[in-house]
Amino acid sequence: LFSNEAGSGSAPCAAAAAEVSHPAKQGLIQSLGVYIDTLVICSATAFVILLADKTTTEGKTGMSLLQAAMRHHLGEFGVIFIAIVLLLFAFSTFLGILYYAKSNVSFIVEGKLAQNLYKTFALSMLFAGGLSQYLFVWALADMGVGLMTVLNLFAIVPLGKIALDSLADYEENYMPSKKRSGKTEKI
């Protein structure tokens, strides 16, 4: 959940902006994103840490643990690589959150004043968060994502039938091939 926000209700904001020929296509792409993030990226990170020398990583947590493991495997390049990847991830996440918020704020309140106030608030939080490490803030963020996911279940369960019907329609009518009379034929 915390690596890819699956089920929290934030990804549909981006998915809804995509232009596809069938909604099931976007659902399948979203599923692929969860797979790549969870099984590939998280597993690769875990293996990098687990394969590092214990004396290198002992007593470290979080980003310092990952950087120590990367230093063990790749030298100083590993530390620089992780710093650059973290910068790009943080920047793209911030842009994504601003994109989500723009549509959400404009839905709740009309006018650019509310959007500008939100952007100012978000930039000030980004600046304050960059100055020091707030473990309490991270705990609140984790709790918020967890709470958002629990609340989102009340929407996901009733919409499940619609999603499954859409997938069945896509498989029946839009798949590259259909089985007819025992032979596979392209449509």
Side-chain angles (χ1 to χ4, degrees):
L1 168 66
F2 294 112
S3 69
N4 57 42
E5 297 182 355
S8 67
S10 60
C13 294
E19 292 186 31
V20 292
S21 59
H22 197 279
K25 278 186 173 182
Q26 187 59 31
L28 293 170
I29 292 295
Q30 292 297 110
S31 300
L32 178 65
V34 171
Y35 169 78
I36 290 171
D37 185 37
T38 303
L39 292 180
V40 177
I41 304 296
C42 291
S43 295
T45 304
F47 286 131
V48 164
I49 293 170
L50 290 172
L51 293 173
D53 187 17
K54 183 179 178 181
T55 59
T56 307
T57 59
E58 194 169 5
K60 293 182 173 57
T61 60
M63 193 52 59
S64 61
L65 172 65
L66 179 58
Q67 286 184 320
M70 289 297 283
R71 179 179 287 122
H72 173 78
H73 294 295
L74 300 174
E76 288 304 313
F77 170 77
V79 176
I80 294 168
F81 174 75
I82 291 299
I84 290 170
V85 168
L86 182 63
L87 172 74
L88 294 174
F89 174 72
F91 182 69
S92 64
T93 300
F94 185 70
L95 289 180
I97 289 170
L98 284 178
Y99 176 76
Y100 296 165
K102 180 181 177 184
S103 58
N104 292 338
V105 169
S106 67
F107 180 76
I108 295 170
V109 180
E110 289 188 29
K112 292 195 182 242
L113 176 63
Q115 289 182 16
N116 289 334
L117 288 174
Y118 174 77
K119 289 175 188 176
T120 304
F121 174 74
L123 284 171
S124 64
M125 291 295 101
L126 179 68
F127 180 74
L131 292 178
S132 64
Q133 186 178 17
Y134 292 107
L135 296 178
F136 179 69
V137 173
W138 278 109
L140 282 178
D142 288 345
M143 185 181 74
V145 170
L147 183 61
M148 188 168 58
T149 303
V150 169
L151 293 174
N152 195 45
L153 285 174
F154 291 107
I156 289 175
V157 171
L159 291 174
K161 182 178 179 348
I162 296 169
L164 291 174
D165 290 345
S166 177
L167 178 61
D169 177 63
Y170 177 73
E171 289 173 339
E172 180 68 27
N173 299 311
Y174 294 92
M175 292 293 286
S177 63
K178 288 174 68 174
K179 286 187 176 181
R180 291 190 183 160
S181 64
K183 296 180 182 178
T184 301
E185 145 184 335
K186 297 283 184 189
I187 58 170

